[in-house]
Amino acid sequence: MIFVILSFAIAPMIYNQSEFNLRCEWGPQGVTELAPISDVVVIVDVLSFSTCVEIATNNGAIIFPYAYRDESAIDYAKSVQAELASHRQRWTTTGYSLSPKSVAEIPAGTRLVLPSPNGSFLTLLTGNTPTLAGCLRNCQAVAEFAQKYGDKIAVIPAGERWKEDGSLRPAFEDLIGAGAILSYLDGSLSPEAEVAVATFQAFRQDLLGYLKKCSSGKELIEKGFEPDVELSAAFNISNCVPLFKNNAYLNVEIF
């Protein structure tokens, strides 16, 4: 009986990469395993939550993540006195959405609820652990700011969800984004983190080309969102660091 109890106590430690300072794991379970034992969490959803948050907060907007795309989002937006982003529409239409292009000119001070089953959902799982939104655009700035919290850093590639059953689909663009951030961090890398860095290094010379060819990129282009892919592929052009605090992401320069 003692052996069984010990085995249950030890088993969860296998998956949390606790012997390494720099950790990387996918999706909701990755947050569940890594956030409680990390000094800071970085959520990476390149196409398109993290990119959208970076662009909007860089303009001075305040972004409230919300996990569900249903009528409850309307009530939540009212409760925080914010506008509600709509479902993604063709980029030529007006209104804010998960399309990075839709928030490119968002005015400073705009309060916007951004429903997302990936990036928003993961953000709201991190609990009391400081949380940042990272993408290719702000990878170095996010990495440098993350190390102000400590040396135990969890980078979470969001992935996508299969439409058929809602299960996790590991996404090329999020692995690349996670690797870009991890490449600027100092510390011991878990094997999972090393894979992310190696993947980023292998494709960094043509990020836009590969983002256009990956499954998520092709899906967006087919639906008319090629400008979003182009905005998301821009590498290390922003010093904006979106920090999640008081239920919203703001550029750290605003705090």
Side-chain angles (χ1 to χ4, degrees):
M1 180 63 71
I2 293 177
F3 173 77
V4 173
I5 292 174
L6 289 175
S7 68
F8 275 110
I10 294 171
M13 297 176 61
I14 295 174
Y15 303 105
N16 64 18
Q17 304 172 35
S18 59
E19 64 268 48
F20 306 98
N21 290 334
L22 307 179
R23 301 117 180 212
C24 181
E25 192 54 84
W26 288 92
Q29 196 59 44
V31 174
T32 300
E33 291 287 343
L34 303 187
I37 61 163
S38 298
D39 296 317
V40 60
V41 174
V42 182
I43 303 297
V44 183
D45 187 354
V46 171
L47 295 173
S48 298
F49 174 82
S50 296
T51 300
C52 199
V53 170
E54 183 278 319
I55 291 174
T57 57
N58 201 18
N59 285 353
I62 304 164
I63 302 299
F64 294 84
Y66 195 72
Y68 306 106
R69 294 173 176 170
D70 57 22
E71 292 188 1
S72 67
I74 299 174
D75 292 333
Y76 179 67
K78 291 178 180 178
S79 74
V80 295
Q81 299 180 313
E83 298 182 51
L84 176 61
S86 65
H87 291 298
R88 199 188 213 123
Q89 301 171 358
R90 285 197 171 272
W91 65 270
T92 52
T93 64
T94 58
Y96 303 127
S97 71
L98 268 175
S99 162
K101 185 174 177 62
S102 77
V103 298
E105 304 296 333
I106 192 170
T110 302
R111 297 166 67 87
L112 182 67
V113 171
L114 195 60
S116 161
N118 298 315
S120 286
F121 183 75
L122 297 180
T123 297
L124 298 171
L125 285 181
T126 60
N128 294 324
T129 307
T131 302
L132 310 174
C135 60
L136 289 169
R137 298 171 62 89
N138 64 353
C139 52
Q140 183 174 0
V142 164
E144 291 175 353
F145 190 83
Q147 296 209 281
K148 295 180 180 181
Y149 284 102
D151 58 1
K152 296 177 176 60
I153 300 172
V155 180
I156 307 294
E160 295 292 338
R161 294 178 184 269
W162 289 107
K163 291 181 174 59
E164 290 76 12
D165 62 3
S167 61
L168 175 70
R169 175 173 70 80
F172 170 84
E173 69 275 7
D174 294 340
L175 185 61
I176 293 293
I181 294 164
L182 286 159
S183 72
Y184 287 104
L185 291 169
D186 297 320
S188 58
L189 293 159
S190 71
E192 292 82 358
E194 285 197 49
V195 166
V197 172
T199 305
F200 163 67
Q201 298 290 4
F203 293 98
R204 67 178 298 174
Q205 297 305 318
D206 188 15
L207 293 172
L208 177 57
Y210 282 106
L211 256 64
K212 285 184 175 181
K213 290 187 286 188
C214 75
S215 296
S216 301
K218 289 190 295 183
E219 180 184 20
L220 290 180
I221 291 170
E222 182 178 322
K223 293 179 178 179
F225 295 106
E226 186 167 353
D228 285 346
V229 180
E230 294 168 351
L231 286 169
S232 300
F235 175 62
N236 205 20
I237 65 166
S238 171
N239 290 321
C240 173
V241 179
L243 172 65
F244 184 63
K245 190 171 184 179
N246 297 327
N247 300 316
Y249 278 111
L250 285 85
N251 188 348
V252 293
E253 294 181 353
I254 296 176
F255 283 105

